[in-house]
Amino acid sequence: MKYNRILLKLSGEALMGDRQYGIDPKRLAEYAAEIKQIHDKGVQIAIVIGGGNIFRGVAGASNGMDRVQGDYMGMLATVINGMALQGALEDAGMQTRLQTALKIEAIAEPYIKRRAVRHLEKNRIVIFGAGTGNPYFTTDTAAVLRGIEVDCDVILKGTRVDGVYDSDPEKNADAVKYDHITFDDVLSKGLNIMDTTAFTLSQENKLPIIVFDMNKQGNLLKVCEGATVGTTVNI
């Protein structure tokens, strides 16, 4: 396998499957099966999930809600998603730990870097919930931050498109896909991969990002094996 330790970033919306909101158990089971493939190969796996299928702080703020309050609600949504994924992974026979940036001792461990690394070394899948624990920071930023802290080799951003394009492929049939692109080119072309804070943090720490289609069976394994699947962003 090309990568020993990875940070998998999933969007909350991905967990909806064909639903309009919430969590689709079928999609959870599909993701658990994909993750099990690389887990059985010995890849150490950390995961960050968004909460957009349940609540978005930005959306709440746009409707008059206090932004800080909304962001904390969004953090709790990521914990719900983390618990759901944890259950699906354990049903598939994997050991997991859920760590949260907010203290919720009844359901999760508090995030402690050394403990997280030890879990990874024991081949437990570590799910990081509640973002960074701070408002105004996205789960993209949390994913990059945790990836750096626990010394991951790469950020794997699982999406519903198969990479980075020069325009939205869902709106433009002539959009051109990049197999490889540099951080500087992403910025100069104004491509939207992650929010600026997350992207800059990844660039400064030379942590590559691979954007790929998580919904295509076998793609996660191919990425970890080093196949050209999706788009690689690096120096």
PDB file of all heavy atoms in Angstrom, residues 67 69 104 117 181 207 223 231:
ATOM      1  N   ARG A  67     -24.366  33.010  14.958  1.00  0.00           N
ATOM      2  CA  ARG A  67     -23.425  32.155  14.233  1.00  0.00           C
ATOM      3  C   ARG A  67     -22.698  31.195  15.177  1.00  0.00           C
ATOM      4  O   ARG A  67     -22.510  30.014  14.857  1.00  0.00           O
ATOM      5  CB  ARG A  67     -22.410  33.025  13.476  1.00  0.00           C
ATOM      6  CG  ARG A  67     -21.246  32.254  12.849  1.00  0.00           C
ATOM      7  CD  ARG A  67     -21.674  31.292  11.767  1.00  0.00           C
ATOM      8  NE  ARG A  67     -20.592  30.422  11.346  1.00  0.00           N
ATOM      9  CZ  ARG A  67     -19.724  30.717  10.373  1.00  0.00           C
ATOM     10  NH1 ARG A  67     -19.818  31.860   9.717  1.00  0.00           N
ATOM     11  NH2 ARG A  67     -18.768  29.876  10.050  1.00  0.00           N
ATOM     12  N   GLN A  69     -23.658  30.014  18.089  1.00  0.00           N
ATOM     13  CA  GLN A  69     -24.610  28.975  18.516  1.00  0.00           C
ATOM     14  C   GLN A  69     -24.823  27.955  17.399  1.00  0.00           C
ATOM     15  O   GLN A  69     -24.848  26.745  17.627  1.00  0.00           O
ATOM     16  CB  GLN A  69     -25.944  29.639  18.895  1.00  0.00           C
ATOM     17  CG  GLN A  69     -26.941  28.712  19.572  1.00  0.00           C
ATOM     18  CD  GLN A  69     -26.701  28.567  21.062  1.00  0.00           C
ATOM     19  OE1 GLN A  69     -25.604  28.846  21.543  1.00  0.00           O
ATOM     20  NE2 GLN A  69     -27.711  28.127  21.784  1.00  0.00           N
ATOM     21  N   ILE A 104     -17.799  15.058  25.715  1.00  0.00           N
ATOM     22  CA  ILE A 104     -19.083  14.344  25.818  1.00  0.00           C
ATOM     23  C   ILE A 104     -18.734  12.935  26.302  1.00  0.00           C
ATOM     24  O   ILE A 104     -18.838  11.955  25.570  1.00  0.00           O
ATOM     25  CB  ILE A 104     -19.820  14.301  24.462  1.00  0.00           C
ATOM     26  CG1 ILE A 104     -19.737  15.649  23.739  1.00  0.00           C
ATOM     27  CG2 ILE A 104     -21.284  13.916  24.656  1.00  0.00           C
ATOM     28  CD1 ILE A 104     -20.366  15.662  22.369  1.00  0.00           C
ATOM     29  N   VAL A 117      -3.050   8.609  18.413  1.00  0.00           N
ATOM     30  CA  VAL A 117      -1.955   7.944  17.701  1.00  0.00           C
ATOM     31  C   VAL A 117      -1.826   6.501  18.174  1.00  0.00           C
ATOM     32  O   VAL A 117      -1.605   5.583  17.368  1.00  0.00           O
ATOM     33  CB  VAL A 117      -0.633   8.704  17.904  1.00  0.00           C
ATOM     34  CG1 VAL A 117       0.553   7.897  17.383  1.00  0.00           C
ATOM     35  CG2 VAL A 117      -0.687  10.057  17.199  1.00  0.00           C
ATOM     36  N   ILE A 181      -2.369  18.444  -9.674  1.00  0.00           N
ATOM     37  CA  ILE A 181      -2.320  19.896  -9.701  1.00  0.00           C
ATOM     38  C   ILE A 181      -1.590  20.369  -8.445  1.00  0.00           C
ATOM     39  O   ILE A 181      -1.634  19.696  -7.408  1.00  0.00           O
ATOM     40  CB  ILE A 181      -3.743  20.496  -9.786  1.00  0.00           C
ATOM     41  CG1 ILE A 181      -3.688  21.988 -10.118  1.00  0.00           C
ATOM     42  CG2 ILE A 181      -4.533  20.228  -8.521  1.00  0.00           C
ATOM     43  CD1 ILE A 181      -5.037  22.567 -10.490  1.00  0.00           C
ATOM     44  N   LEU A 207       1.128  18.614   3.216  1.00  0.00           N
ATOM     45  CA  LEU A 207       0.275  17.429   3.339  1.00  0.00           C
ATOM     46  C   LEU A 207      -0.594  17.324   2.097  1.00  0.00           C
ATOM     47  O   LEU A 207      -1.484  18.149   1.885  1.00  0.00           O
ATOM     48  CB  LEU A 207      -0.606  17.536   4.589  1.00  0.00           C
ATOM     49  CG  LEU A 207      -1.524  16.347   4.883  1.00  0.00           C
ATOM     50  CD1 LEU A 207      -0.705  15.088   5.132  1.00  0.00           C
ATOM     51  CD2 LEU A 207      -2.413  16.647   6.092  1.00  0.00           C
ATOM     52  N   VAL A 223      -7.056   4.246  -4.411  1.00  0.00           N
ATOM     53  CA  VAL A 223      -6.308   5.434  -3.997  1.00  0.00           C
ATOM     54  C   VAL A 223      -5.179   5.048  -3.051  1.00  0.00           C
ATOM     55  O   VAL A 223      -4.039   5.505  -3.198  1.00  0.00           O
ATOM     56  CB  VAL A 223      -7.247   6.458  -3.321  1.00  0.00           C
ATOM     57  CG1 VAL A 223      -6.433   7.565  -2.662  1.00  0.00           C
ATOM     58  CG2 VAL A 223      -8.197   7.058  -4.339  1.00  0.00           C
ATOM     59  N   THR A 231      -8.040  13.346  -8.179  1.00  0.00           N
ATOM     60  CA  THR A 231      -7.041  14.377  -8.420  1.00  0.00           C
ATOM     61  C   THR A 231      -6.142  14.519  -7.194  1.00  0.00           C
ATOM     62  O   THR A 231      -6.631  14.628  -6.066  1.00  0.00           O
ATOM     63  CB  THR A 231      -7.709  15.740  -8.686  1.00  0.00           C
ATOM     64  OG1 THR A 231      -8.550  15.630  -9.827  1.00  0.00           O
ATOM     65  CG2 THR A 231      -6.656  16.819  -8.939  1.00  0.00           C
TER      66      THR A 231
END
